Structure formats: C-alpha cells, structure tokens
Amino acid sequence: MRLTVDNINPHIVAAKYAVRGELAVKSEEYRAQIAKGEAGDLPFSQVISANIGNPQQLDQKPITFFRQVASILENPQLLDNEDALVNHLGYKTDVVERAKFLLSKIGSVGAYSASTGVPAIRESVAKFLERRDGYPADPSKIYLSAGASSGVNTLLHTICAAPNTGILIPIPQYPLYTATLALLNATAVPYLLDESKNWGTDLETIRSSYEKAKADGVDVRCIVIINPGNPTGASLPEEDIRAVLEFANQENLVVMADEVYQTNVFVGKFHSFKAVLRRLQEENPGKFDGVELASLHSVSKGMVGECGHRGGYFELVGFDPEVEANIYKFVSIMLCAPVIGQCIVELMVNPPKQGEPSYELYQKEYDGIFNGLRERATALHKAFAEMEGVECAEPQGSMYLFPTIKLPEKAAEAAAAEGRTPDEFYCMRLLESTGICVVPGSGFGQKENTLHFRTTFLAPGTEWVGNIVKFHKEFLDKYR
Amino acid sequence: MRLTVDNINPHIVAAKYAVRGELAVKSEEYRAQIAKGEAGDLPFSQVISANIGNPQQLDQKPITFFRQVASILENPQLLDNEDALVNHLGYKTDVVERAKFLLSKIGSVGAYSASTGVPAIRESVAKFLERRDGYPADPSKIYLSAGASSGVNTLLHTICAAPNTGILIPIPQYPLYTATLALLNATAVPYLLDESKNWGTDLETIRSSYEKAKADGVDVRCIVIINPGNPTGASLPEEDIRAVLEFANQENLVVMADEVYQTNVFVGKFHSFKAVLRRLQEENPGKFDGVELASLHSVSKGMVGECGHRGGYFELVGFDPEVEANIYKFVSIMLCAPVIGQCIVELMVNPPKQGEPSYELYQKEYDGIFNGLRERATALHKAFAEMEGVECAEPQGSMYLFPTIKLPEKAAEAAAAEGRTPDEFYCMRLLESTGICVVPGSGFGQKENTLHFRTTFLAPGTEWVGNIVKFHKEFLDKYR
C-alpha cells in the first residue's frame, strides 16, 4: 500500500500551522518571481514578510559582539593571528577572550555536546536567571534546546500521556501549541484572553474553561502562558501571574511559561513566572512548594533576533527527578541542540558588561534595535487607529500587533464563495494587492464572531504601513 | 496530580537509547572529576568516549575551507576588510567567493530560512546527487534537516499511523529507530543482519520477518537500511541493495536508506539506493515506478564530522504530493533547520574543486582523515583478533566495529546479580577499569545468545586499544 494522505499519520494531517501556511507559501512564490525579474504585472515590487517574527530577514542587524565571537568559534585558527584580528579587523580583546573561554568549554562547535547542552553554558544561564530574578537557579535544571519550539515539543511530549490529556492554551495563541497537541493526539483546552483588557489573562475565564474540560472527562495537566503575548503583544502585570500560579497550585497544574519575548517590553516591566513563584513561596511558606514550572527562552527574539541559529533553553522548577530523567532521555535521542546556537545563548545571557571593550557598541546596537521596534509599533498602532472598523490594543510587548477588523457582510459572502474564512480572504487580498504577508486571526484562534490578523512590526520604513491603510480603504469600498 | 514516571507519556518511559544512557552519563562524570583534578584513585587519567560517533570530540580537526567560510557567514563584516582576510589571515579567494554566494542566498544565518531549507542549498544538494548517481535529482524533493536524526524523526512520524504500523528495522541497529518507534507507539519489525556474511542483509531473513509480522496483524509499511552499517560497519554490495528494492517493490514498502556513512567506505564502493533504483527502473521499464524511497545524509559523519552543527538532508523519490505537503507542514512547525548547519551541508556537497585555490589543502585534510580512520580501524580489528573469545568482522565502512564477545558463565552470573545483561556488565567494568566508554550490544539489538559491544575507531593513538586488550584478559581471568 503506497502512502497517501488517507493512510499516513492522521495527526499530521489534522495539525494546522498557519504561520507557514498557504499565505506564506504564496508570498515566497512572489518573492522568487520578483528576484528572477519576472514580477510582470504584480502591483508591488517587494514582498513584506510581516507574517513571521524573523528580525534578520528584515531590518534587524545582528549584534556585532555575538557574531564576532561566533566567527572565531567557527574558525579558531583566527586566534593564530590575534594581532591581525585586533588591529586589522577591529575585534576587541573581550571578543577574543570570550571565544577562548567558550572554546575551552566546548572543544569544537562541530562536536556533539552533552544532550542537555554544554555544562558551562548551562551555568551561565543559571547565573543570568539569578541576576534577573534575585533567586538561585540550578544549572542541572536547565536544558538547552534548538529554539524554544524544540523545548515546547519536549515538554508537551512528556506531559501528554493519552488523548484525554488536556493542556490549557490561551486563545489567541502561537499555533505551535495547538499543532503540537494535534500531533500528540492530546486535547487543547482553550481559554480566551481578554481583548478589552489589553489581552490580559482573566482567571474566571481560565477557571471556567478548566471546569468545563474536567466535566467532559479531560485530564487537564498544564497551563500555557505566553508572556509577553504572541500574537497579542500583551505584557502581563504581576497580579495576573500571581493569579495563574495560585490557580495552578490549587489544581496541581504544570505551568509552562513561554517567555521568549521577555526583553521585548515597551510598557511596564517584564515579570518572570520564576521570580513571582519564588516570591509567593517566600510569602507563604510551604504553600507553593509543589508547583511545577517550566519556563522557556530563546535567542530568536528580543534584540538578539538569531532565529536561524535555533538556540534556546528551558528551566524546570519542582519537577520529579524521574520525570527529569525521562526528559533527559527524550532530548538525548536527538543528540543535542546546535552547538553554535548554544554559544549564542551564552552570549545573550552574558553580554558585555559596562567597562568592557565591547560594551559601548553592544549597548548602542541593543538600544537602537529596541527603540526602532518601539517606534514602528507605535507608528503601526497609530495607522490602525485611523482605519475604519479596526481596533488595536496598545503595543505593550513582543513583536506583534493583533488588531480586530470588522468586515462588511459582502466580504464574508465573497470569502465563503472561495471557501475561506473572512479574515483569510482579507489577508489573501492584502497579499495580492500590496505584497504584505500577515496571518489571519483564525490561524491563532479568536473569539467567535470576531476577526483579526497578526502583523509583526519588524519591517523597516513606513511606506508599507501606508499601503495597508490604502488597501483597507479600497477593500471596504469594494465590499461595502 | 503532579507529574510522575507513572503518569507521563508512557512511550517516553518505554523508549530506550543506550548510546547516551547510563554508561555515557557515568563516563561524563569521570571526565568532570578528572577536569576538576579530583581523579583520586581512578585507575585511569582520561576518558575515551568510544561510545559515540563524535569525531571532533576526539582527534578529528574540522576541514579548514568549511570553517573559514562559516566564520565569514557568522561575521559578514569580515568582508569589509577582504585584504586583511586574504593577506593576514590566509583566507583564499574561493573562501571569500563562496561566503559571498551563500550570503546572497540566505541573507543572514540569523534569519529563519524556508521550512525545507534555503532553496539555493537544496539546488546544490540536487547537483551533488546528480554527480554522485548519474541521474537527475529534483531540488523540490530535498528537505534540509537538523542532522539525519531529525529527518528520520520526520519520516517515521509521517509513515506511522497506528500502533500496528510496522517498520522493518535491521538488528543490530542504531537505536534512534527503535527509540523513535517506541515514542510513536508503532511496531518495530526486526530483521537480523548476517554476522557470518560481514553483517550483510539476507533477503530470506527479511522476508520471513515480514511474513511473520503480517501474520500477526502488523501493517508493515517501510524497511530501514543503514548502509554503511551502524553499529556493524558493513558496506553493502549492489546485489543486496537490488534485492531489498525488489522486495520493497513487490510488497509496496517505503525504503528508508540511512546513508550517513556514505563516504566512510574502506572496502569496495558505496552504492546509493537512489542510483540502484534508477538502474533497476532503466532495466525494467515501468516495473519499479511505484517505489517510494527516502534517503538521508548528514554533515555529522564522513570526513566532515560536523555533528555539533546539526546539518543534514533527505531526498524523497516516488512520494505522493499530498504526503509531501504533510511532510512540509510537519517540518514547518519546527520552523527550519539551523541555517549555519544548512550552509555546512552546501559546503559538504560542493567542496573545492581541482584547480581552485582551496583544493589542495581540502584534499590533503580529507585524505588525512580518511587514512587515519582506516588505519585505526585496522589496528583495532587486529587487536580484537588477538583477544580470546572475541571475533570481529572486517572493517568495511562507517566509524564502528561491533565484535562478538564470548564471556564465561561466572561473568553472566555476576551480571545477573547486578541486574545487568552480561554485555552491559562487561562494558561497565571496562569503563571503570580503563575510562573507555563503549556501548553494549544490547543497546542495538543482537541475535539471541550472542554478546557484542560497539566501539568507534575515532580515538587517537593506540594506547587505549592496548588497554582494552589488557582489561579483557583480566576480566576473563577473574570470571573464568
């Protein structure tokens, strides 16, 4: 029997992953067409990939310190001529020192590391967490991964034991979660975020989703929180995090905190689940000791933006050692995370310090990226405010805006005629008219009878923002 | 309910992966002890990791051309000072050209690529396959992956649809296969390789395993072949490959050809499944058109040895386009393979050519590694020949020897008292006495009532080989 879509793994067939779906594929076709000079009658001359948080595909330059160190790690023979490196190529001495340190710990970036990552890098991550949170961190509980996606994959694989295993997932959510649960044939238990409160978590909503799932026979084991939010751009206040931890403690739920946007915060301050948990434990001796927390981070986002290097880590708190042993076994089957990506993790968590030769440039680059992101978020938010039928929460964090759009009935009919949801239809027309690729809200989940799209605010310039405004007006005029 | 080993995913608990199991963990503890100067009364002063094919952890130096290009990819600013690069740091002009070419195709190694890999790199792989096999290859059927392990994971995930999906697996095998099938809750259908014929495939054995599984209600869909063999070191003659393809064609089985050791061949010549399939198709018009073949390769092995970069690819032949679309979706959920690893794939399949500035050094390094591996394989094989109760097939390919060991009855009793199989017991004592870490045959599967271990022949020097010989004699004397 040959393989067909009817006999292969039905869970792959069932899984959905819109971020790289039809729209993304079509946008790549346009890009290839333009690159070959075959743009022909396309009404645009470039494709703007606002569908995916891929900073270096767009404007964002890599941080010089990171890449200088990486270049030496790739070619340690550069150290045979340190003078030329420093005098002719402008490498500072702390670049050379860091590369030597990492090489002394890894041997070669071409060798497999230990399954959970290079021990010295796990120690660096622990020290970073201690500085960030003000509480101890244990290197043996840190697992280096190929981006946070791979960490999420490991954790969900471990937690999901049967089709009725339930995982509380925010809606809207980054579709990695629902896709992975579909692959695992486990149950996503959606809880709605509150758009009227800047996409914050609402405990009553979470509780009622939980109770309903339990009543349906679902064995709910875990709650996922994405903070700052993807696709929402929300940055949670400490109260929300406390409430989630209280609830998880009460109901014995594992807390999975996806904190990959922890440095992309424009309003207020990032509160890590780990720090808030430790505070709760201090304030209530004994009460929160049983909480199981897995928190994830990545080199792909923030001012680092090194997606292509596939680096990240997760930290476990409160897990049973035998469960940890099985997580170890699971990650060891894939051998190890990319070693140069592990090194980028080390550089991210341990950047040049004040007074060190590379500090000034590092800080300048970092601030430049941060301010650029904030400015573009604000510009885009302002543009949305001027568009008829569009409402958008204040940009607080991450790399995304997730506006609500109200579309005329006729547009919904035209969409149905194409077999599409109205938001898909809208995003497809946007791509065809402007070359701008965004992701329809249905790819992330949205409250019934609402429509959204997700756009990154990574693309440089403002012309494309104007093109969205213009398209939107024409679209409304056409289907009014 | 807190997570425990009794309620997490039972398929992770059931999976076994000895290559990084108890012995490997213990060897890393010894290594850390020695590094901290706490060797104390250990009877050895260094750990020899012969348990894993990790060339650059041991003697193997990276190929200079690959790493020079990679250093520019990591830090393109080096190109701002091309003169210094060429005149002070010894980079040849073809290094600079290749880096510029790759940068023009990828943009940045820090950006996500397309889910199946950078199009230009897939084209390079296709050209390589055309040169290697003498038959066309289609870039759109090539999927870049994070090492071959990730490719195997993708393919088995797709093919396995239910617990009774069966995959024919050689015994002994690289435990990635049984571990992944355990995770997928699918059925491994073992077929024994023939140790008496240098670990070749025996069609009658394969057929009888297949028939037996079918009779038991197993839906056998695929046959895995590892050529050159891991752990066996066998290199299959063309007849064996033809026989497997004939059988797969007859029974409609997908052929999964794990060819990561294709350049590690010391006896005869490597025959790719793709080339042999194309020849069969030419010789028998129409007859073999339905064969589905997936063949895998990696940057981790061969003379490249870049395991830590997690680069590889697989090529699909004869797959249904809708099945391919689901494979695309599956890999897109993890976004993309590490981009610098993808670039190492490009360098591997398209190395410097005769007449180009880097060719001479490349060829010298390549030949040096190849000859070193062959010499060490021969020396190890010779040592085994001198050991009482040890028999070992001629080293033909890959990086491993897999000798049979006959152990005294008393050793089996001592092992049982420790709750270990005799081969585990033997390997544990070897590690404790000599610091040499090998993997017991039970980690790969072995014919009933036989015992083996797998050792790489990557470690430099011959002293460690002598230590095995000495240990073996003492072990036999003790348990005689």
Side-chain angles (χ1 to χ4, degrees), chain A residues 2 56 81 88 108 290 309, chain B residues 2 56 74 81 88 108 290:
Chain A
R2 284 170 57 82
Q56 294 187 20
N81 203 339
H88 295 287
S108 165
H309 276 106
Chain B
R2 285 170 55 82
Q56 294 186 22
E74 284 292 354
N81 204 337
H88 294 289
S108 164

Side-chain angles (χ1 to χ4, degrees), chain A residues 2 7 9 13 15 20 54 56 67 74-75 81 88 91 108 112 115 157 221 290 308-309 329 335 339, chain B residues 2 7 9 13 15 20 54 56 67 74-75 81 88 91 108 112 115 157 221 290 308-309 329 335 339:
Chain A
R2 284 170 57 82
N7 65 24
N9 185 340
V13 179
R20 296 206 158 200
N54 193 6
Q56 294 187 20
R67 294 302 198 87
E74 284 292 355
N75 188 16
N81 203 339
H88 295 287
Y91 282 45
S108 165
Y112 294 124
S115 306
H157 254 87
R221 295 188 165 192
H309 276 106
K329 183 170 62 182
L335 300 162
V339 176
Chain B
R2 285 170 55 82
N7 66 22
N9 185 340
V13 178
R20 295 205 159 200
N54 193 6
Q56 294 186 22
R67 295 302 198 88
E74 284 292 354
N75 187 17
N81 204 337
H88 294 289
Y91 282 45
S108 164
Y112 293 125
S115 305
H157 254 87
R221 294 186 166 192
H309 276 106
K329 183 169 63 181
L335 301 162
V339 177

Side-chain angles (χ1 to χ4, degrees), chain B residues 83-274:
Chain B
D83 274 2
L85 217 49
V86 173
N87 298 325
H88 294 289
L89 293 164
Y91 282 45
K92 307 275 192 213
T93 52
D94 54 348
V95 169
V96 172
E97 289 316 311
R98 183 66 66 88
K100 285 182 180 170
F101 166 77
L102 285 168
L103 285 168
S104 77
K105 298 300 179 183
I106 59 175
S108 164
V109 293
Y112 293 125
S113 72
S115 305
T116 51
V118 175
I121 297 179
R122 297 163 78 200
E123 283 168 26
S124 255
V125 172
K127 283 182 201 146
F128 155 73
L129 293 172
E130 291 179 358
R131 286 193 304 275
R132 187 194 70 182
D133 294 335
Y135 293 96
D138 178 349
S140 77
K141 310 297 182 192
I142 288 159
Y143 295 71
L144 297 175
S145 60
S149 297
S150 165
V152 167
N153 183 53
T154 297
L155 293 164
L156 290 180
H157 254 87
T158 307
I159 297 170
C160 293
N164 78 330
T165 300
I167 310 283
L168 281 156
I169 298 288
I171 294 297
Q173 52 110 29
Y174 177 52
L176 167 64
Y177 291 95
T178 42
T180 307
L181 291 173
L183 292 176
L184 287 166
N185 192 26
T187 303
V189 180
Y191 66 91
L192 286 172
L193 299 172
D194 189 347
E195 187 166 8
S196 72
K197 290 183 183 153
N198 249 320
W199 294 112
T201 51
D202 178 74
L203 200 68
E204 282 323 300
T205 311
I206 293 176
R207 186 182 302 280
S208 91
S209 292
Y210 171 76
E211 295 296 349
K212 188 178 166 305
K214 238 175 76 169
D216 291 347
V218 177
D219 170 22
V220 184
R221 294 186 166 192
C222 171
I223 178 165
V224 172
I225 309 275
I226 309 173
N227 177 47
N230 177 2
T232 64
S235 176
L236 293 182
E238 181 165 349
E239 311 86 84
D240 284 19
I241 296 171
R242 283 180 172 252
V244 168
L245 286 167
E246 293 259 10
F247 174 71
N249 186 42
Q250 204 169 26
E251 305 297 345
N252 270 314
L253 300 175
V254 176
V255 178
M256 196 185 303
D258 178 339
E259 300 178 329
V260 301
Y261 298 98
Q262 59 188 264
T263 58
N264 298 93
V265 175
F266 309 121
V267 173
K269 177 178 176 306
F270 167 71
H271 304 278
S272 77
F273 269 77
K274 168 91 177 291

Side-chain angles (χ1 to χ4, degrees), chain A residues 201-420:
Chain A
T201 50
D202 178 73
L203 199 68
E204 281 323 299
T205 310
I206 293 175
R207 187 182 302 281
S208 91
S209 292
Y210 171 76
E211 295 295 349
K212 188 179 164 304
K214 238 175 75 169
D216 291 347
V218 177
D219 170 22
V220 185
R221 295 188 165 192
C222 170
I223 179 166
V224 171
I225 308 274
I226 309 174
N227 178 46
N230 177 2
T232 65
S235 175
L236 294 182
E238 181 164 350
E239 311 84 85
D240 284 20
I241 296 171
R242 281 180 175 253
V244 168
L245 286 167
E246 293 259 11
F247 174 71
N249 186 41
Q250 207 169 22
E251 305 296 347
N252 270 315
L253 300 175
V254 176
V255 178
M256 196 184 304
D258 178 339
E259 299 178 330
V260 301
Y261 297 99
Q262 60 188 264
T263 59
N264 297 92
V265 175
F266 310 121
V267 174
K269 177 179 176 305
F270 167 71
H271 304 278
S272 76
F273 269 78
K274 168 91 177 291
V276 177
L277 173 62
R278 291 302 189 217
R279 282 200 281 278
L280 280 170
Q281 288 172 332
E282 276 182 354
E283 292 160 15
N284 307 274
K287 188 178 157 195
F288 288 90
D289 289 359
V291 173
E292 293 155 284
L293 168 66
S295 49
L296 300 110
H297 196 14
S298 160
V299 302
S300 299
K301 311 301 172 185
M303 278 28 86
V304 184
E306 295 283 0
C307 317
H309 276 106
R310 314 307 301 117
Y313 70 84
F314 58 89
E315 183 192 21
L316 299 181
V317 172
F319 276 63
D320 180 299
E322 283 185 317
V323 173
E324 291 177 355
N326 277 282
I327 291 174
Y328 170 85
K329 183 170 62 182
F330 183 82
V331 299
S332 75
I333 296 171
M334 286 292 123
L335 300 162
C336 67
V339 176
I340 190 88
Q342 295 184 36
C343 294
I344 303 280
V345 170
E346 204 282 331
L347 299 168
M348 171 179 78
V349 300
N350 187 19
K353 291 182 197 54
Q354 200 148 18
E356 292 175 355
S358 295
Y359 176 77
E360 200 181 333
L361 178 63
Y362 167 78
Q363 202 56 45
K364 190 176 152 227
E365 291 174 336
Y366 188 98
D367 292 345
I369 295 167
F370 184 87
N371 293 330
L373 287 172
R374 187 165 52 187
E375 279 159 26
R376 274 173 273 157
T378 309
L380 194 57
H381 183 250
K382 208 174 139 215
F384 288 149
E386 288 165 11
M387 282 158 63
E388 185 186 339
V390 174
E391 280 177 50
C392 187
E394 175 194 30
Q396 295 188 325
S398 83
M399 299 179 165
Y400 312 104
L401 293 182
F402 195 63
T404 300
I405 46 175
K406 291 207 176 66
L407 299 180
E409 190 49 40
K410 270 199 201 156
E413 284 159 19
E418 274 188 21
R420 297 186 191 281

